[in-house]
Structures are given as C-alpha cells and as structure tokens.
Amino acid sequence: MHKSYRHFLLRRIVCAAAVSGGLLLLAAGRGTAHAEVIERVVATVNDDAIFLSELRRRSAPFLEQVIQGASESDRPVRIKRLYEQFLKELVDDQLIEQTARKMNVVVSSSDVEQAIDNVRKQNSLDTARFWEAVKSQGFTEKQYRADVRKQILRLKVTNQRVRSRVNLNDQTVREEYDDRVRKARRRQRFHPEHVFFGLPQTASATEVATTLKKAQDVRAGLTTDSFATVTAQRGGGDLGWLDQGDLPEELENALLSLEPGQISVPVRGPSGVHIFLLRERQTGGVQFPPFEEAKDAIYRELLDRAMAKQQELFLADLRRNAVIDTRL
C-alpha cells in the first residue's frame, strides 16, 4: 500500500457527532409556537426504517442557523429543506449499513478508540480536555463514538468497493506536477502603484459617473514622474508585488494590458476607481518545490479527488438498486 494512501485513510475519518434532540417539533399556529410530540417513519430503505427522531437529531446543530431571521411563514419551508438534505444523508448511511452487513464489514471498539485518539493527538489535547471540548459543543461521548463508528464503516465499505477503480501511479503524479509547474511559470507578478478614488458600495449612478469624470481629469495630466506626488495628494500608493489572481479580474486585466512604465485609464473596481502605473512585471516568479518534495502531497490530493468521485458514484449505484420511500 502506498504510504500516502495510508495517510489518506487516516485523514478521511471525519469525526462529527450529531447533537441530541428530543421529539419536539416547533409548529407555527396563528402567531403562536407550540410543541407537538411526534414520532413516525420518515423513510424506508429496503426493509429498514428511518424515524423522525433520528432526522431531528441529525439536523439539530443547524436548525437555529437555518431559521434565524426567517419570517413565520418561511420558517417551515426552511426546516423542510434542511430535513430533506439530512434525510438524504440518513438514507445513504442506511445503505452503507446494509452493504456492510452483506460484506461482513465490521468496526471494532478498538477501531473507534484509535480514530478518536488520532483526532485528540492531532488537536494536541489530553483525554480530559478532548472530552470537555466534545461536551462543550453539546455532544455526548456515546453520540460522538457512534458517529465515529459510522464514518469508519462508510470508509471501510467504500474503500473496499471503489479503491480498485482508482489507479494512480508515479507517471500520473509526475504529469500533474509538470502541468502545475508550467502554469506557475506562465503566471505573472505585478508591481503597480495606483491613484485611488474611493466609492461606497451603495454609490448611486450619479456618484459613480462623477468619480469617473474626476479620475479621467486627473489621468489626463498624469506622468510617471508626477505619479507619486498625485498619489500623495489624492490617495493610493505602492501596492508592492502582486501575484496573478490577487486582484479582482477587472483590475488584473488592466494590469495585463500595461507594459512597465505605462499608466492605465481609470478602472472601476469593487471599492472605487483606480489609475495604475505598472512599475515592474515578472513572469514565472512563483517558486515550485522539486518533484521529490511535492509528489506525496500531489498524490494525496489526486487520490482525494478520485476517491470522492468514485464514492459518490458508488452511493448513486446503491440508491438506484434500493427500494427507497421517503415520507417527509
């Protein structure tokens, strides 16, 4: 097994526990919220049922955020969307559980404890502080362990079923590295100065037109020799070295059209109007590590991407071949 693949397996264990929720559902009725005790089946996956209480527990950490600021009429719509999203996850979890039983895949208590210990060490916490952090977020140890088990089970099942579909070798990694180096060498760096005319985000069309006219008048008299003086009077200054991609597209396009020593026309940006003077330009200024140093990180990134795609295809195939009935 490639050593980076072992790192991938460890990193894919995501430990997120569901907050405990009761069987109470907030229902709006003529301006008054009241509690309704409800338990019912919200979905069946082949011969297994998913209950409303499970759905509420999974959705609980996000419920307050979703309904915040919502009107009374919009609140049930938002809750329904949230429930639909998490019901899909619960269906997928059930499909994984069923597939694991067929494959005789199990997760031992030692698997769970080792995963938790890895997470604890990665966060530099002793055992007591780790569980305090878990509980401070509203999670019980039982819930946390149950969710870790579920994540490991999904990892084991999908890796057994889809790992063979992912074929990464040194040549693939090398080709990706070479492509990144070529792009890095084509990337440009700019050293501009600018005169800046600020505009509020709520500026009216009249304010924008007035500011552009002012900038055009200033631009008419600008030279490379007078640029520093004008920036001191009007605002702006030296922006230092910028990599391609650091600026919004409309501003970067203005710099790409300039040669060193040239001054741009006024350019509208997100926060105002700019007049650029390009002092220097470099191509390929980005430093890239040697292949031997970069290959493991690139391998892990490509593996992440390929496995995520194959896992989704695998889950889609499980859904197609299952009898799923949702009843929200």
Side-chain angles (χ1 to χ4, degrees):
M1 181 184 290
H2 193 290
K3 66 177 182 178
S4 294
Y5 180 57
R6 291 196 295 270
H7 293 314
F8 165 79
L9 290 178
L10 179 60
R11 291 190 315 108
R12 292 291 293 175
I13 295 173
V14 180
C15 298
V19 172
S20 175
L23 301 184
L24 298 181
L25 174 64
L26 290 178
R30 299 187 181 277
T32 304
H34 63 278
E36 224 173 82
V37 179
I38 298 177
E39 179 64 298
R40 63 183 180 85
V41 172
V42 291
T44 57
V45 183
N46 296 319
D47 295 326
D48 294 319
I50 298 172
F51 292 93
L52 183 58
S53 55
E54 298 175 70
L55 180 57
R56 287 182 181 147
R57 280 194 292 271
R58 179 65 68 91
S59 306
F62 307 93
L63 187 59
E64 184 177 351
Q65 180 183 352
V66 164
I67 65 177
Q68 187 175 15
S71 65
E72 190 172 331
S73 60
D74 192 39
R75 195 172 294 182
V77 176
R78 293 192 182 188
I79 293 173
K80 185 174 185 294
R81 288 175 184 163
L82 180 70
Y83 279 9
E84 288 172 344
Q85 173 187 341
F86 283 103
L87 183 57
K88 180 177 180 292
E89 292 188 9
L90 287 170
V91 167
D92 287 348
D93 288 345
Q94 193 62 256
L95 289 168
I96 291 293
E97 290 277 356
Q98 293 172 358
T99 305
R101 290 197 293 267
K102 294 176 183 177
M103 297 170 60
N104 295 317
V105 174
V106 295
V107 176
S108 67
S109 58
S110 61
D111 289 336
V112 174
E113 295 308 316
Q114 182 179 352
I116 291 174
D117 198 46
N118 287 332
V119 175
R120 179 185 63 77
K121 290 176 180 177
Q122 288 167 7
N123 286 277
S124 302
L125 295 172
D126 60 33
T127 302
R129 289 175 59 210
F130 175 79
W131 288 116
E132 284 175 10
V134 169
K135 291 175 182 176
S136 71
Q137 298 176 44
F139 308 148
T140 68
E141 291 187 24
K142 182 178 179 181
Q143 290 164 349
Y144 191 86
R145 285 190 169 92
D147 198 69
V148 170
R149 176 200 166 275
K150 190 177 298 182
Q151 296 295 335
I152 296 173
L153 186 67
R154 176 178 289 218
L155 184 65
K156 284 188 173 185
V157 169
T158 55
N159 280 338
Q160 284 192 32
R161 293 292 293 270
V162 309
R163 181 63 183 93
S164 61
R165 304 178 193 174
V166 177
N167 182 24
L168 287 178
N169 52 39
D170 284 344
Q171 181 180 349
T172 304
V173 176
R174 182 76 207 202
E175 289 171 356
E176 177 68 17
Y177 172 83
D178 290 342
D179 184 58
R180 294 184 185 190
V181 170
R182 283 192 295 270
K183 289 178 180 177
R185 287 174 177 169
R186 289 198 299 267
R187 193 176 303 156
Q188 299 195 41
R189 302 181 72 220
F190 309 97
H191 180 191
E193 296 179 23
H194 73 146
V195 181
F196 180 64
F197 304 81
L199 276 170
Q201 290 187 342
T202 56
S204 65
T206 301
E207 289 175 309
V208 173
T210 301
T211 302
L212 281 170
K213 179 63 168 61
K214 187 188 301 182
Q216 289 164 355
D217 291 342
V218 170
R219 171 64 183 87
L222 264 181
T223 65
T224 54
D225 293 332
S226 66
F227 206 90
T229 302
V230 175
T231 57
Q233 294 171 347
R234 297 278 182 176
D238 193 329
L239 293 173
W241 281 103
L242 301 173
D243 287 325
Q244 196 169 348
D246 285 348
L247 292 176
E249 184 178 2
E250 61 271 24
L251 301 183
E252 187 171 279
N253 288 340
L255 289 172
L256 283 168
S257 67
L258 298 177
E259 295 297 329
Q262 289 185 330
I263 300 172
S264 74
V265 298
V267 184
R268 173 79 190 278
S271 55
V273 178
H274 306 256
I275 303 173
F276 291 109
L277 166 61
L278 183 60
R279 290 293 184 187
E280 301 173 82
R281 177 171 24 203
Q282 293 179 349
T283 300
V286 178
Q287 297 298 315
F288 217 82
F291 175 69
E292 290 301 318
E293 293 180 19
K295 67 179 182 180
D296 282 350
I298 294 175
Y299 177 90
R300 290 193 296 270
E301 185 179 332
L302 293 178
L303 184 62
D304 268 354
R305 194 185 308 163
M307 287 293 289
K309 181 178 179 180
Q310 289 301 323
Q311 286 171 7
E312 184 51 44
L313 291 173
F314 169 61
L315 281 168
D317 189 53
L318 289 182
R319 294 184 206 113
R320 278 194 301 270
N321 291 295
V323 178
I324 300 169
D325 179 22
T326 58
R327 308 171 187 175
L328 270 182

